[in-house]
Amino acid sequence: MLTRITIIIALAFAWLPGLHATELLVEKQRFTTHDFVTVSGETIPEVTIGWEAYGQLNDAKDNVILITHFFSGNSHAAGKYSPTDPQPGYWDAIIGPGKAIDTNQYYVISSDTLVNAFPHLPHVVTTGPASINPTTGKPYGLDFPVVTIRDFVNVQHALLESLGVSKLHAVIGASMGSLQAIEWGTAYPDMVERVVSVIGAAAMDAWTITALEHWARPIKLDPDWNQGNYYDGNAPIAGLASTLTMITQQAMHPISFNQASPTQETLPAAGLESILNDLPATAFWFNAAAKNAVLADANHILYLVRANQLFIAGHQENLAAGLANLNAKTLFLPAKHDLLLQPYLAQQAVATLKELGKEPQYDEIEGVFGHLDGLYSIQTKAALIAEFLAQ
Amino acid sequence: MLTRITIIIALAFAWLPGLHATELLVEKQRFTTHDFVTVSGETIPEVTIGWEAYGQLNDAKDNVILITHFFSGNSHAAGKYSPTDPQPGYWDAIIGPGKAIDTNQYYVISSDTLVNAFPHLPHVVTTGPASINPTTGKPYGLDFPVVTIRDFVNVQHALLESLGVSKLHAVIGASMGSLQAIEWGTAYPDMVERVVSVIGAAAMDAWTITALEHWARPIKLDPDWNQGNYYDGNAPIAGLASTLTMITQQAMHPISFNQASPTQETLPAAGLESILNDLPATAFWFNAAAKNAVLADANHILYLVRANQLFIAGHQENLAAGLANLNAKTLFLPAKHDLLLQPYLAQQAVATLKELGKEPQYDEIEGVFGHLDGLYSIQTKAALIAEFLAQ
C-alpha cells in the first residue's frame, strides 16, 4: 500500500516512487522562442519552457521519442537530479537504460508545457499568466492569451527544430500528455511515426468539459482570485486547495483513496458540533492540498483547464476530419478503473480511427489507482510499449 | 432520449416524467413537533415538515410503507397535486394503485426531511437554517444545530407516532433516502419489517465524504455566503449554481450527460478568446443551475452535506455494531453505472450483514443514467420490489 504522504507527494510533485534503482542522472534545460503566435492569434514576445533528455541523439537524429506531461506534472519523467533525490521522474519505471523506452536506443526528450500548474516548483520552467509581461514589467494575469494543446505542441516543435530534429520515432504521453501526443500526430503527420496515448482522449466531450469547469470554479469563486489580479496581494489559496483536492480525488479510485485516508468509524464529535468543522478525511486532503497550493498558480490552472476543454485533435470541423490527417501508428492505453478520463474516450478515438481505415492498437491498464494507474501501474504495459516501439 | 430540459427539471424539482398515466391526486400535509432534541444535543423549539400519503391506512395500522427522499428531492414521490400537473412524483412508476408499491394494499407515507435543499420550492415544507428562529425572530443561519440522518428519522418517527403508527411494513428510499431507510432499521429495529436501499450505502467512506465536501466548497468560497449570514443580502447564487451543477453531473453518467448537452465538434471561438467566456456545455449546465439556485438555500445544502458526511448506520462504534441491531429484511438495489454512490457501497453493507448472519438481498439496476437510474430506471425492478414486499 502506498502511504498517504507518498501519494500526496506523488500527486503534487509528479514524483513516483521508483520501482527500480535508477542510474539516470538528468538536468533541466531551458528553451526560449520569440514572438510565438498562438492558435488564438495572439503573439507572446518570449516563451521559455524547461526540458530534459535521457539517452543519446544519434547522428541521423532519427532516434527521438518525445514525452509529454500530464495536467499536474512537468517534464521530469525519468531519472534523478542528484543521486540523493528521494524520487525519480514519474515514468522512471518505463524510461531508462534497458527499460521499455530504452535510453540505450532512443534519445528521449521530455518537455514542459506552457502554463504549467506548478510554476513555483523547483525545476519547473514555464511561461504563463504568472510570467512577467515584457511590455508592462508585471505578470500577465488574464492578459495572457488563451492557449491550446496545439500551442503546447507548437512550442515543443520549435524546441525540436532548435535541436535539428525533424522526425519523431514516437510521442508518448499520459492524460493531458496523451492529448499532446495525439495532437502531434495530427498537426505534424509527416514527422510523427508512432503515438502512444495513455489514459487519454482524442477530443473532449461535454462530460469532461463540465468536469474540468468544476476544477476552475473554486478558484474563480475565491475573492482572493480577484479576476486574476492577485500577484500583488494574497493568492487564492483556499480556492486553489479545493481545486487541487478535487483533481487528486478524481485522478484516484475509491479503493486507493480510502486506503490513503483516515477512516471515520463512528460519529466524529467535531463534525457534529458545527458544519464549519472539518472531518478527518476532509482535513487530511484539503490541508495537504493547501500546503501544495503555494507552489501552484491559480491562473495557470485556469488556463490549463481551458486548454483541455478546447481540445479536439486536428482542429478540423469534427474529430474524424482531424484524425484523418494522422499517419502515425497508434496505441491507446486507458486505465480500466479510470473515473476521470474513462476508457470510453479512448474507445471512441479507436472507433473513429478504424472508421477511417486505420489500425489503432488498444489495451487497458489494470489497477486500483483509477486515472493514476496511467502512472503507478504503467510498468504492467512495459512489454507492450516496447513491442509497439519496435514495430 | 430524455430531452435536456426534462432532465434539468427532473433534477431540480425531483419530478420524473410519468411512464403511466396516474389517477393519484395528492396533497401536501404539514406536521409540527416541539422541542425536538437533536443527536448533537441541541433543542429546536419547533420543527415542521411536509408529508404526503397514498392509499388508505387500515384499522390495524399495520399496512404502512414509509418513503424517504434523496438529497435534492422532497416528499412528492407519487401522484399529482392536480390533474393538470405536468409531472407526477419521482417514483410514480412504482407507487400507485396496482403498482409495485401498491396503494390498494399499502398506506404509503412520504416525508420531507429537515434542511431540505430547495425550501423555496412550492410544496416543500421543511425546517432548517433558513427558518425563523423563534428566539431571535430572524433566520437561524449557522445557529441551526448540525443534524444527522438519525434526526431526519426521528422527526419521521414523531410524525408516525402522531398518526398512531407503530409498525412499518417497509421503509424504502433512494440515495439519501436509502440512508434514512437503513437508519430506520437500526434506530427502531422492532418497528421496521423491511428495508429497501436503492442507490445507497450503510455508511460513508472517505471517498464519499470528500466528494460531498466538494459540493460544499463552492458555496463556502462565494463571498455572498458570508459565513451563512446572507438572508438580509444577496444569496450566494454563483456558488450555489456551481454546487447544483456538480450534483447534477455526478448523479448522471457520461452517456446520458453527453446526450443532454450541446456538443463541441470544433474549436469554439468564444472559449478561445478568453478563459472567462463559457463554452457551450458549461453555459448550458451552469446557467440552468443558476436559475434553479434561487429555489435552493445554500445553508440548507451545507447542512445536508454534513448530515450525509456523518452517516454511519446505527451510531455505534463501527458499522458492524450498528447493523447488528437491524432486524428487518433488506433489499439492496445499487445502480450498475452509478458514479456517485458506486455499487461497492451497497456490496459492503451486504457483506457486513452476511458476516452478522443476516440474509440481505441484492440486485443491480441497469441503465445509462448512473446514480439517477435509481429514479429513471426503477421500474425495471418493480417486480422484484413487489415480491420483496410480499415476503
Side-chain angles (χ1 to χ4, degrees), chain A residues 207 249 277 306 312 316, chain B residues 207 249 265-266 277 306 316:
Chain A
W207 174 272
Q249 178 165 16
N277 292 344
R306 178 50 52 96
I312 178 161
Q316 300 299 316
Chain B
W207 174 272
Q249 177 165 18
E265 289 251 337
T266 187
N277 292 345
R306 178 50 51 96
Q316 299 299 315

Side-chain angles (χ1 to χ4, degrees), chain A residues 122-142:
Chain A
H123 298 293
V124 166
V125 180
T126 190
T127 301
S131 304
I132 298 299
N133 180 344
T135 64
T136 65
K138 294 181 178 176
Y140 283 97
L142 299 198

Side-chain angles (χ1 to χ4, degrees), chain A residues 178-201:
Chain A
S178 152
L179 278 45
Q180 294 167 69
I182 298 171
E183 189 65 14
W184 255 104
T186 61
Y188 299 101
D190 298 333
M191 194 169 164
V192 180
E193 294 174 335
R194 289 165 197 81
V195 165
V196 183
S197 160
V198 179
I199 51 171

Side-chain angles (χ1 to χ4, degrees), chain B residues 310-332:
Chain B
L310 291 172
F311 178 63
I312 178 161
H315 291 197
Q316 299 299 315
E317 68 274 20
N318 58 45
L319 178 60
L323 290 180
N325 287 337
L326 193 141
N327 292 331
K329 292 174 185 164
T330 54
L331 171 60
F332 291 84

Side-chain angles (χ1 to χ4, degrees), chain A residues 155-389:
Chain A
V155 173
Q156 290 156 1
H157 185 260
L159 163 64
L160 295 179
E161 267 192 329
S162 78
L163 300 172
V165 172
S166 58
K167 191 64 91 177
L168 287 171
H169 186 79
V171 188
I172 308 177
S175 194
M176 186 180 83
S178 152
L179 278 45
Q180 294 167 69
I182 298 171
E183 189 65 14
W184 255 104
T186 61
Y188 299 101
D190 298 333
M191 194 169 164
V192 180
E193 294 174 335
R194 289 165 197 81
V195 165
V196 183
S197 160
V198 179
I199 51 171
M204 290 295 103
D205 60 345
W207 174 272
T208 310
I209 290 165
T210 309
L212 284 162
E213 190 65 22
H214 291 304
W215 296 8
R217 292 285 159 147
I219 291 170
K220 290 180 176 172
L221 285 162
D222 186 331
D224 284 336
W225 177 59
N226 191 31
Q227 299 287 303
N229 297 313
Y230 52 81
Y231 294 106
D232 290 334
N234 294 322
I237 296 298
L240 255 173
S242 284
T243 295
L244 294 178
T245 306
M246 204 183 304
I247 296 172
T248 298
Q249 178 165 16
Q250 292 178 0
M252 293 180 74
H253 183 274
I255 293 175
S256 48
F257 189 88
N258 286 336
Q259 280 180 342
S261 302
T263 53
Q264 184 172 301
E265 290 251 336
T266 188
L267 280 176
L272 201 54
E273 191 182 302
S274 165
I275 63 148
L276 297 175
N277 292 344
D278 273 324
L279 299 169
T282 61
F284 173 72
W285 291 103
F286 284 85
N287 292 346
K291 282 181 194 155
N292 295 331
V294 296
L295 299 168
D297 180 80
N299 287 335
H300 280 225
I301 286 179
L302 297 181
Y303 275 73
L304 273 181
V305 162
R306 178 50 52 96
N308 282 275
Q309 287 177 319
L310 291 173
F311 178 63
I312 178 161
H315 290 197
Q316 300 299 316
E317 68 273 20
N318 59 43
L319 179 60
L323 290 180
N325 288 336
L326 193 141
N327 293 330
K329 292 175 185 164
T330 54
L331 171 61
F332 291 84
L333 294 174
K336 187 172 182 180
H337 298 115
D338 194 332
L339 294 169
L340 179 54
L341 299 180
Q342 297 181 34
Y344 73 86
L345 289 163
Q347 288 160 12
Q348 285 173 349
V350 164
T352 305
L353 287 167
K354 284 185 175 170
E355 283 165 19
L356 292 164
K358 303 177 195 291
E359 295 175 349
Q361 296 179 50
Y362 178 92
D363 198 12
E364 292 183 357
I365 306 170
E366 300 273 349
V368 297
F369 285 102
H371 191 63
L372 284 177
D373 281 315
L375 305 185
Y376 294 163
S377 305
I378 192 64
Q379 70 280 3
T380 64
K381 299 299 167 195
L384 180 60
I385 292 169
E387 189 186 313
F388 177 76
L389 293 176

